[in-house]
Amino acid sequence: MKLWSGRFTAELNDIAEEFNDSLPFDRQMYRQDINGSIAHCLMLGKCGIITQAEAETLSVALKAILADIDSGKLEPVGAEDIHSFVENELVSRVGNVGKKLHTARSRNDQVATDIRLYLRDSIDEQTELLKTLVVTLADKAEKEKATAMPAYTHMQKAQPTTLGHYLLAYANMFLRDAERLKDCRKRLNVLPLGSGACASTTFPIDREYTAKLLGFDGITQNSLDGVSDRDFSIEYLSCAVQAMLHLSRINEEFVYWSGEEFGYLILPDAFSTGSSIMPQKKNPDVNELLRGKCGRVVGDLVSMITVMKGLPLAYNKDMQEDKEPLFDATHTISLSLKVFTAFMNAVEFNRAKMNASAAGGHSCATECADYLADKGLPFRAAHEVTGKIVLYCIENGKTLQNLTVDEYKKFSPLFESDILKAVLPQNAIARRKIKGGCAVEEIERQLKVLRNALNNI
Ligand code: ARG
């Protein structure tokens, strides 16, 4: 049964109906839709718009419908959308009183409410998933705080650092993602119900009461805005894109780290797959998918923005197109965070390979320049002298670590025997004690700050 058949004399064309229906996808919001309706009918009862007994009948039946869908006894099919499905089902269970549910409400403010409730649930789930990931990365960073490795710029070895430092960089990104979601939740958590179709309602409803029942912090202040606002969806999707971007970046590192040329990590069997033709292969498919999934969430954000662009006030059916991108993004990000956290728990790093790599590419050249600058040579001049030493090493197949003190002295009289210690990667790491650096004690401090920040989310 359509909710609007009164003024029509002919049935909707079959293809137009298939095109118009949103039940195949908005059924995912059945829980939020029914909870919204329960709060709405309790509010109608409290305000005397329907009787308390009617409110009770409606809410009991709605709870039963919810339980039946939850258990799989009732399947949402055969209606235009989830709102129509629930209302039809209600009327079939309680009769005429069911037809009172939609008093002082439109599907326009109902759907706006449902999406906010749906996204709030998603945000709560993903904030927890992000926090778990940050904890996992922090624990791993603590374990690897003394594992030396090269830090890269332009994908070339730049300066020695530690794996702990590296992993903490990503932990900070995911911490910001959790904070961003929490912030998005604040703006999202207001109730649009009561906005009606567009210009509100003549019934003396109590919107604050409904808001309280549904756990909203307040109500939307303007009914035209209430039904037509999807800023919160766009904001959520940007937060999702940002987190997916971070996942794609760290997984790109892991893809190349797992290759023979790097060999920095050992892919766990449980998180890699083989080839149908090459028997030797163990591929980083999970990491590649985590890198690739970002693309579809970016697509979801672009769809949403494009749907909203240029829409006049207030509700327009274009806005039904908001759901599939949103659902796709919420499913993608939740699954991605779960699988990546599990991967992080299983992955092992090849410490020996990383340590051996730390001094490659003359990555301690900055230490050499700093050594001279420390002895009074202006840094620019120290840079020039060190550049010449590096060139000498390249031309003679030497490294900054195996040059003799005499060789160093040929480039500057400021060099003394302690230069050989200064250019050791362990030394380069240990001396970077300043805030943000990679010395072990500084990583321990960073871990404390990070864990504190986590407790405040
Ligand atoms: N399925 C619709 C949507 O998602 C629900 C609102 C329908 N409102 C309407 N005026 N046709 O936007």
Side-chain angles (χ1 to χ4, degrees):
M1 233 283 282
K2 294 272 181 292
L3 299 178
W4 39 260
S5 46
R7 63 98 67 223
F8 287 82
T9 51
E11 293 281 310
L12 184 61
N13 169 287
D14 282 350
I15 310 235
E17 180 158 31
E18 187 185 338
F19 188 66
N20 181 61
D21 287 357
S22 55
L23 186 61
F25 50 88
D26 67 16
R27 50 185 276 170
Q28 291 182 57
M29 307 191 299
Y30 76 87
R31 195 167 288 127
Q32 291 81 8
D33 189 74
I34 296 174
N35 284 331
S37 287
I38 292 171
H40 180 67
C41 74
L42 293 178
M43 180 279 293
L44 291 176
K46 180 205 160 246
C47 295
I49 298 166
I50 62 174
T51 67
Q52 290 284 5
E54 287 170 334
E56 176 72 11
T57 306
L58 293 177
S59 67
V60 168
L62 284 165
K63 279 180 199 155
I65 294 172
L66 179 55
D68 287 351
I69 302 179
D70 270 343
S71 71
K73 233 166 97 185
L74 178 66
E75 211 203 326
V77 284
E80 182 181 339
D81 51 29
I82 189 62
H83 327 297
S84 316
F85 174 82
V86 172
E87 192 174 321
N88 290 343
E89 183 64 25
L90 185 68
V91 173
S92 82
R93 290 189 185 199
V94 299
N96 269 340
V97 63
K99 297 183 181 168
K100 294 197 172 187
L101 173 67
H102 213 51
T103 314
R105 188 175 73 169
S106 154
R107 279 182 298 165
N108 299 352
D109 56 352
Q110 185 178 358
V111 74
T113 304
D114 291 4
I115 305 169
R116 285 180 191 256
L117 288 171
Y118 176 88
L119 280 184
R120 195 177 71 188
D121 290 344
S122 288
I123 287 177
D124 290 346
E125 185 197 353
Q126 287 141 24
T127 306
E128 282 315 305
L129 289 171
L130 280 162
K131 284 168 77 178
T132 309
L133 175 56
V134 173
V135 169
T136 309
L137 286 168
D139 291 348
K140 236 354 180 223
E142 184 149 33
K143 234 176 100 187
E144 305 291 348
K145 64 187 171 194
T147 306
M149 68 171 281
Y152 297 83
T153 65
H154 314 272
M155 278 287 284
Q156 296 185 7
K157 289 179 184 173
Q159 292 176 333
T161 184
T162 64
L163 178 55
H165 193 215
Y166 219 93
L167 293 174
L168 266 190
Y170 282 104
N172 275 289
M173 296 181 215
F174 293 116
L175 174 74
R176 290 197 294 275
D177 292 331
E179 288 171 345
R180 241 187 301 273
L181 277 181
K182 192 184 165 200
D183 199 52
C184 169
R185 191 188 196 282
K186 271 192 249 161
R187 270 174 298 282
L188 172 150
N189 202 28
V190 285
L191 173 82
L193 209 58
S195 301
C198 54
S200 81
T201 176
T202 53
F203 287 97
I205 59 172
D206 183 346
R207 297 186 60 206
E208 270 90 4
Y209 182 72
T210 317
K212 215 168 128 206
L213 289 180
L214 289 170
F216 283 108
D217 298 326
I219 57 170
T220 56
Q221 293 300 321
N222 177 299
S223 69
L224 292 168
D225 184 40
V227 288
S228 63
D229 173 27
R230 294 293 183 273
D231 293 2
F232 58 90
S233 302
I234 294 172
E235 196 177 339
Y236 167 78
L237 286 169
S238 333
C239 296
V241 163
Q242 188 73 73
M244 293 305 294
L245 264 172
H246 293 150
L247 279 177
S248 97
R249 291 182 69 184
I250 191 167
N251 280 286
E252 159 65 4
E253 313 259 27
F254 289 174
V255 168
Y256 72 81
W257 285 10
S258 72
E260 200 186 324
E261 287 78 1
F262 275 83
Y264 286 176
L265 67 80
I266 300 132
L267 279 177
D269 277 7
F271 290 88
S272 28
T273 52
S275 153
S276 59
I277 175 169
M278 298 167 283
Q280 84 286 9
K281 292 282 275 173
K282 186 160 136 191
N283 294 327
D285 291 33
V286 171
N287 307 96
E288 288 169 313
L289 277 171
L290 282 164
R291 187 176 58 188
K293 293 271 182 199
C294 180
R296 59 193 284 167
V297 181
V298 171
D300 295 331
L301 171 64
V302 173
S303 300
M304 186 74 212
I305 291 173
T306 315
V307 164
M308 293 309 292
K309 183 198 167 291
L311 275 193
L313 293 179
Y315 177 81
N316 298 274
K317 190 68 173 232
D318 313 45
M319 286 153 81
Q320 178 165 290
E321 288 296 309
D322 63 352
K323 281 163 216 67
E324 285 163 294
L326 268 184
F327 296 156
D328 182 66
T330 59
H331 295 317
T332 305
I333 184 170
S334 287
L335 190 58
S336 301
L337 288 169
K338 282 181 202 160
V339 75
F340 184 60
T341 302
F343 173 88
M344 277 313 301
N345 279 316
V347 71
E348 294 285 346
F349 295 94
N350 187 340
R351 288 181 182 161
K353 195 100 194 221
M354 287 182 143
N355 284 329
S357 199
H362 310 287
S363 70
C364 292
T366 312
E367 312 315 306
C368 182
D370 286 354
Y371 175 95
L372 292 172
D374 210 32
K375 300 227 160 173
L377 194 63
F379 182 79
R380 190 52 54 220
H383 185 290
E384 179 72 17
V385 171
T386 308
K388 295 217 156 54
I389 300 175
V390 169
L391 192 60
Y392 173 83
C393 287
I394 294 168
E395 283 167 352
N396 295 282
K398 303 210 167 184
T399 67
L400 291 173
Q401 289 76 29
N402 68 17
L403 285 183
T404 63
V405 181
D406 285 342
E407 282 176 299
Y408 271 110
K409 278 184 189 292
K410 277 188 206 147
F411 292 91
S412 165
L414 292 173
F415 283 119
E416 290 173 63
S417 61
D418 57 351
I419 179 61
L420 295 179
K421 237 176 134 192
V423 294
L424 292 177
Q426 308 87 285
N427 195 58
I429 292 165
R431 292 186 63 215
R432 285 173 156 74
K433 291 192 194 105
I434 63 127
K435 288 188 176 162
C438 56
V440 169
E441 61 266 45
E442 170 50 21
I443 293 298
E444 279 161 1
R445 189 198 64 84
Q446 288 177 32
L447 277 164
K448 252 189 227 140
V449 173
L450 181 87
R451 289 183 172 130
N452 248 339
L454 259 186
N455 289 336
N456 292 326
I457 297 178

